Amino acid sequence: MALKVIGWPGAPLAADLAAELDAESCALALHRFPDGETLVRLDTGVDGHDVVFAVSLDGADAKALPLLFAADAARELGARRVLLVAPYLAYMRQDKRFHAGEALSSRTFARLVSSSFDALVTVDPHLHRWRDLAQLFTIPARAAHAAPAMAQWIAANVEHPLIVGPDSESEQWVAQVARLAGAPWVVMQKTRRGDADVSVRLPGPLAAGRTPVLVDDIVSTGRSLVAAAGALAEAGMRGTVAVAVHALFEESAGRALHIGGIERIVSCDTIAHPSNGIRTVPALARAVRDIISSTG
Ligand code: R5P
């Protein structure tokens, strides 16, 4: 397969994915002009190649336009197909007009991606009000799943785990991780009043003698995990571990998690972060191979 993987400068994803796919990798060359605009350059020949842009979309506002420029450049320079591999897919949580006048960013972003790329591969996108990626994207789109790797990590590192989801949206990950780890699970009820104002309620008494393992798809402010860990501590549970797919960790999150008394937090490698301890790149590579072979 004549495949080239191009990544974001300084991010390990492209080289990691290219190693799994036995492909060549390089980074996009970016130049920031004094006026804040970005010049994008491909430092590798792409004529006749399938080109994979492997860029996780944390900090999406800064990455989105350069990526669209790069996709067009690749196509104009003769790429056979141009794929986006974004282990973290941005804007998926804005799947409803929560307040009057708000933009439905997930739909607009999907339209932009669909108009510039031939296919999309991601890891566990935040699908809640959107049923699946096909509802949003008009190009072939695949989601690789982190649950098997998360379950494996939990089974190897936590004795007698009780898998706990901080809200009903986490049920899809929690139930699957628990089944694969052979552990019981519960899901809390969450109320979010603002970005950093979150409270949760336990569904009832919890199984005794278990180590709680909070499982969520995204850690952003960390407030969901902190509220959930607080409720577990009040219920007498000790040694809470947290496992997350996408470690967005906005600036105050590390402090919040520390205060929140979570004993250990481990994330998947979908966004490079010091908490990374679970590899999803092999699953991502399988999804890339699959989408390339099934789209001819
Ligand atoms: C919400 O729907 C998501 O599944 C996460 O629970 C949420 O995005 C986490 O955000 P934060 O870390 O800011 O509480």
Side-chain angles (χ1 to χ4, degrees):
M1 173 195 321
L3 187 64
K4 290 210 175 177
V5 183
I6 302 180
W8 197 256
L13 173 66
D16 235 22
L17 182 65
E20 290 285 336
L21 291 169
D22 204 13
E24 230 181 86
S25 77
C26 70
L28 262 183
L30 301 176
H31 172 72
R32 192 101 165 130
F33 290 114
D35 59 11
E37 293 181 2
T38 303
L39 171 72
V40 174
R41 196 181 64 238
L42 308 183
D43 276 345
T44 183
V46 294
D47 194 10
H49 290 269
D50 282 338
V51 175
V52 170
F53 287 100
V55 178
S56 209
L57 290 171
D58 51 310
D61 285 11
K63 291 176 176 171
L65 266 184
L67 261 181
L68 299 181
F69 299 151
D72 274 2
R75 210 179 293 286
E76 287 156 15
L77 294 170
R80 211 163 74 89
R81 275 179 302 190
V82 184
L83 286 80
L84 175 61
V85 173
Y88 173 66
L89 187 56
Y91 294 114
M92 293 296 286
R93 287 175 294 172
Q94 195 63 35
D95 56 359
K96 169 186 163 178
R97 258 181 257 292
F98 294 95
H99 303 100
E102 285 180 353
L104 197 48
S105 323
S106 49
R107 193 162 57 196
T108 305
F109 191 62
R111 177 161 47 77
L112 285 174
V113 168
S114 300
S115 65
S116 288
F117 294 91
D118 296 311
L120 165 74
V121 178
T122 184
V123 177
D124 287 334
H126 188 88
L127 291 169
H128 182 50
R129 288 166 191 90
W130 298 115
R131 195 181 51 249
D132 54 32
L133 292 172
Q135 252 195 310
L136 270 178
F137 292 86
T138 55
I139 51 175
R142 294 272 189 294
H145 298 295
M150 289 165 102
Q152 213 177 2
W153 186 91
I154 293 167
N157 291 280
V158 184
E159 274 186 34
H160 307 301
L162 167 68
I163 313 297
V164 184
D167 54 30
S168 57
E169 293 174 34
S170 63
E171 184 168 331
Q172 51 189 310
W173 298 280
V174 167
Q176 209 193 347
V177 168
R179 184 176 54 76
L180 295 170
W185 61 277
V186 291
V187 162
M188 297 173 163
Q189 275 174 21
K190 179 166 91 180
T191 309
R192 174 158 235 141
R193 285 168 294 272
D195 288 344
D197 184 5
V198 174
S199 58
V200 300
R201 213 152 39 84
L202 283 169
L206 300 176
R210 295 259 167 191
T211 304
V213 181
L214 286 163
V215 169
D216 206 356
D217 62 334
I218 296 170
V219 185
S220 178
T221 66
R223 295 317 192 279
S224 301
L225 290 184
V226 168
L232 289 168
E234 267 174 40
M237 306 290 277
R238 295 285 168 265
T240 298
V241 175
V243 178
V245 182
H246 306 294
L248 272 180
F249 278 93
E250 66 77 33
E251 236 172 78
S252 70
R255 214 170 42 243
L257 291 169
H258 184 67
I259 296 164
I262 291 169
E263 199 160 289
R264 185 168 181 195
I265 176 145
V266 182
S267 63
C268 298
D269 54 0
T270 60
I271 296 172
H273 186 266
S275 63
N276 289 172
I278 301 173
R279 263 172 71 72
T280 61
V281 170
L284 200 57
R286 282 194 296 277
V288 172
R289 272 196 216 98
D290 176 53
I291 208 161
I292 284 179
S293 62
S294 67
T295 53

